[in-house]
DNA sequence: GTCATCATTTAAATATCGTTAACAATTTTT
DNA sequence: AAAAATTGTTAACGATATTTAAATGATGAC
């Protein structure tokens, strides 16, 4: 089972400990930070599936943090946590592009339900646990990172498999570079773009002999997997 | 612009009137019902993009209603509204498959923000935004920069696609050169104007065989796409 | 620590696109 | 009708984007 990665910003140590503990019990992988700056740094370096942000934070508050995150990734779910029950703040948070705003004290169960709602809605949890695909005479087992040709088995790396899965699940439509990058890498910058090109190149090589699938560039936009 | 259809269940007539009015001002199409049974009947008969359900309802309460709706449609966003601030109820609602739970009195702005969040997250906003056009026997998929003739597929570049889309969405009216240039190029100068002419020329070539569409010059003013 | 593996970055070759120039055709003005 | 302005089309150019191989860096197993 896939472990989802949560970026968690909270400066109240006791609350953070409890929350993190509860989430980890539910098999989430939680990276916790006590100030906005460190949190943003982590976001820029690592991949996360969802962000849970306190608003009152040292160095950079939750609003600024959310704004910075949204700029890099338009799609990642963001949930605010706050002691402030002010309607103004709630609205402000949602306007910035957050998905929800839980008022402290919140029940851990509510938080977990919300996390799952947004993981589902942002397609991080695949409703159909489909992980087995057929491309012409080639089979692809995404769970096991495995390509099965007639006799031969090729192991893919995680990135290769993730990219291939993304392409197959969005076949025959143009995927923008930005969309691919935020889906797989969590953000969108120049060098990640070059990296994507390398992986596309590898997939092409693997499927070179297979006429029924191709990974076509759409200049200036992104790629389209035709099959 | 596409109008989203909201299924709204609320037995408090005054509140319902106000809410419906506000939502309609924002261009949503609201179907309002005062009891659960009628609401479910409507859901089974018509298409809706999102459901907003009060919990205390005559004949069939919001929880039952949501359960019935979820059974028919696993994906449609459901937002509960309730005067009950009981945490138990909130959790129960979310467990049933609702996406959110607003406590009355809620601000109309918050409701609207939430509606938009879930329309986006359930891909209603981008997916159904019109990006598919038919011109005589030719189809144009603007999202994928694709012209589909009988057998043949022609890939357009971004500019070509943008210009064609602009023409189609303003068919049979004269578009001033300046308007096209600022819409697509962001500014208006002599050489960009010549560039526009080149793109018009390319579109004409693509549709040369198609009698049902033409890109006509209006001397000294701009162009008109007739179809 | 060393090695192996994979992801990222660099760099150089290659391809594509939007722009521009040139000239022909058309329309408008004089 | 001639001159001027505008438009239509083609082709070439330069900027930008893409491809690929190869070098480098990071991570985890042993």
């Amino acid at each position: 089972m896939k472990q989802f990665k949560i970026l968690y910003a909270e400066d109240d140590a006791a609350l953070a400990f409890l929350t993190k503990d509860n989430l980890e019990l539910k098999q989430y992988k939680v990276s916790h930070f006590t100030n906005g700056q460190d949190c943003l740094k982590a976001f820029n370096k690592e991949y996360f599936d969802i962000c849970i942000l306190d608003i009152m934070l040292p160095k950079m508050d939750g609003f600024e943090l959310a704004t910075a995150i949204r700029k890099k990734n338009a799609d990642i779910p963001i949930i605010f946590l706050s002691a402030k029950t002010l309607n103004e703040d709630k609205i402000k948070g949602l306007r910035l592009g957050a998905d929800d705003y839980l008022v402290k004290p919140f029940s851990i169960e509510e938080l977990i339900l919300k996390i799952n709602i947004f993981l589902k809605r942002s397609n991080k949890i695949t409703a159909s646990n489909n992980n087995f695909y057929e491309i012409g005479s080639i089979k692809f087992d995404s769970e096991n990172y495995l390509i099965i040709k007639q006799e031969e088995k090729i192991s893919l790396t995680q990135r290769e498999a993730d990219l291939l899965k993304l392409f197959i699940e969005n076949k025959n439509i143009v995927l923008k570079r930005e969309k691919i990058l935020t889906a797989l890498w969590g953000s969108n910058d120049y060098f990640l773009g070059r990296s994507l090109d390398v992986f596309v190149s590898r997939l092409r090589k693997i499927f070179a002999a297979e006429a029924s699938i191709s990974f076509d560039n759409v200049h200036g936009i992104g790629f389209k997997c035709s099959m």
Side-chain angles (χ1 to χ4, degrees), chain A:
Chain A
M1 200 198 104
K2 186 185 169 180
Q3 269 208 324
F4 292 100
K5 295 192 68 184
I6 297 176
L7 182 65
Y8 179 32
E10 169 66 70
D11 68 335
D12 175 339
L15 176 64
F17 181 82
L18 193 70
T19 308
K20 185 169 188 240
D21 206 46
N22 268 292
L23 292 174
E24 282 169 347
L25 267 173
K26 293 281 177 181
Q27 303 302 314
Y28 297 102
K29 218 168 157 236
V30 182
S31 299
H32 167 236
F33 299 90
T34 51
N35 73 70
Q37 259 176 29
D38 290 353
C39 198
L40 182 57
K41 235 179 268 171
F43 175 81
N44 283 326
K45 220 168 56 179
E46 278 178 74
Y47 173 85
F48 292 98
D49 293 295
I50 188 167
C51 304
I52 299 172
L53 312 178
D54 187 22
I55 290 183
M56 310 265 253
L57 286 171
K59 298 204 182 162
M60 176 188 250
D61 73 25
F63 290 135
E64 287 176 78
L65 183 54
T67 308
I69 289 173
R70 259 288 158 276
K71 215 164 138 189
K72 282 267 186 178
N73 186 331
D75 199 53
I76 191 169
I78 297 176
I79 297 176
F80 276 126
L81 299 181
S82 174
K84 287 197 196 173
T85 183
L86 268 177
N87 213 279
E88 285 304 307
D89 272 3
K90 218 169 186 168
I91 304 259
K92 184 177 174 191
L94 298 179
R95 275 215 194 110
L96 287 178
D99 290 278
D100 210 339
Y101 187 110
L102 295 195
V103 176
K104 294 182 193 174
F106 54 88
S107 93
I108 189 73
E109 186 174 6
E110 184 180 356
L111 179 61
I112 289 169
L113 283 163
K114 295 279 179 146
I115 288 171
N116 277 312
I117 285 167
F118 289 108
L119 287 177
K120 249 181 223 138
R121 290 276 179 215
S122 63
N123 301 317
K124 309 261 183 192
I125 296 177
T126 38
S128 64
N129 264 341
N130 201 13
N131 46 32
F132 204 77
Y133 307 89
E134 295 209 33
I135 307 111
S137 66
I138 297 180
K139 293 178 179 65
F140 169 44
D141 176 353
S142 74
E143 193 79 346
N144 295 303
Y145 314 108
L146 216 56
I147 295 271
I148 302 153
K149 293 189 181 181
Q150 275 80 326
E151 295 303 298
E152 190 188 4
K153 285 186 179 180
I154 304 172
S155 268
L156 300 185
T157 68
Q158 171 122 44
R159 278 260 193 274
E160 290 166 348
D162 287 349
L163 180 59
L164 179 55
K165 186 172 180 183
L166 185 70
F167 272 137
I168 293 175
E169 292 196 333
N170 294 281
K171 62 185 172 187
N172 300 317
I173 67 170
V174 175
L175 280 169
K176 300 205 167 120
R177 294 188 91 93
E178 191 200 330
K179 202 170 168 188
I180 301 174
L181 289 174
T182 53
L184 263 68
W185 277 266
S187 79
N188 169 20
D189 76 29
Y190 176 77
F191 285 112
L192 292 176
R194 314 290 76 244
S195 213
L196 166 58
D197 292 329
V198 172
F199 282 98
V200 170
S201 173
R202 288 190 197 158
L203 290 184
R204 282 179 180 144
K205 201 176 271 177
I206 291 168
F207 289 96
E210 198 60 24
S212 59
I213 189 171
S214 69
F215 306 93
D216 310 321
N217 176 256
V218 184
H219 194 98
I221 314 286
F223 295 92
K224 190 175 72 172
C225 169
S226 301
M227 57 184 287

